[in-house]
Amino acid sequence: MKKVNNIAVLTSGGDAPGMNAAIRAVVRTGIYHQLNVFGVMYGYKGMLTGEIFPMESKSVANIIQRGGTVLKTARCKEFYEPEGRKKAYENLKKFGIDGLVVIGGDGSFKGAQKFSQEFDIPCIGLPGTIDKDIAGTDFTIGFDTAVNTAVEAIDKIRDTADAHDRLFIIEVMGRDAGYIALHSGIATGAEHILIPEHKTNIDDVIDHLTANERRSKMVNLIVVAEGDEFGGADEVARHVKDRMPQLDTRVTVLGHIQRGGSPTCLDRLVASRMGYAAVDALLNGTTNVMVGIVNNEIQFTPLDKAVKAKQQIDPEWLKIVKILAS
Ligand code: ADP
């Protein structure tokens, strides 16, 4: 076992529900192992500005159920530059920090990877992102909550769509990844799910809507990931309205509600387990890895591998969507 005495934890990049549960797990596991635990405010920005403070067990009381992040998050331009990272290192050293846990997405991991290669501070990443677009883990902290928020909202939209026999085109988050769209679309019985990983054929969509119209299917839901290459919900709606002006077509963009709210049980469990494993990893001298859960086992993936590869969407899912919506 390598001796680690003072560890720091931060949340960086896009926020995700469950980050608080992960912070709590890191702090309390660290204290259990008699480490001094520090919180860094505003991600890498706080490392640069020195917003670093000691945390106790009670610092993380009553946060497991709260969305957002008590440590706040930010994007930090200076951290892309070597001088910025050096300044961050010097600030950590002032507190004697010899281990860092970064809760964030793939951008944050790229930063952590550079930082731990340049300086003698081991870094462990925890995948905190609603997009689930990180390789080396079956779960990311925040995805389950975000997708359940989307499902709840789409169910409500279906009610009003049904009342008026309307077509709704619903945009969910996912600039590079279609997981929220795919999962929420399947769970709400959407006819079409348009995702960045799969080329959108608008003619197919129109043909299918026309067939639905012929058999008097009244409610049609199309779920679009914001990063679909064809465009977001507005773009899809523009095409549909041009080609099928007789349909009563509406657009709803779910937006930031998907990032907020109390984390689901699953996200709390995943975050707690990963936070615990991160401290364990630091104590065991493991560095420069992301903690993941694969087949219900904790698995470590080197940070560079976690950011280079994305999770793949099994094409079988798209076949399922087609069959179940027919
Ligand atoms: P996320 O972690 O949610 O993907 P970002 O991509 O915005 O969010 O990354 C968060 C922060 O991580 C950035 O603002 C920056 O400070 C740092 N970062 C991202 N990519 C790099 C990089 N290539 N080199 C150094 N730091 C990076």
Side-chain angles (χ1 to χ4, degrees), residues 12-14 44 74-77 79-80 85 104-108 110-111 114:
S12 166
Y44 296 132
R75 298 200 152 91
C76 175
K77 272 200 192 128
F79 204 74
Y80 286 90
R85 295 194 291 274
D106 68 336
S108 303
K110 281 181 200 151
K114 282 193 183 154

Side-chain angles (χ1 to χ4, degrees), residues 13 21 28 30 49 55 80 139 209 212 218 271 291 314 318:
R28 294 219 166 140
T49 55
M55 295 184 86
Y80 286 90
F139 303 98
L209 289 173
N212 279 355
M218 300 304 190
V291 176
D314 186 343
L318 297 165

Side-chain angles (χ1 to χ4, degrees), residues 7-11 26 99-103 122-126 275 278-279 282:
I7 65 169
V9 56
L10 59 82
T11 49
V26 170
L100 179 66
V101 179
V102 173
I103 307 166
C123 292
I124 303 289
L126 297 190
V279 177
L282 283 172

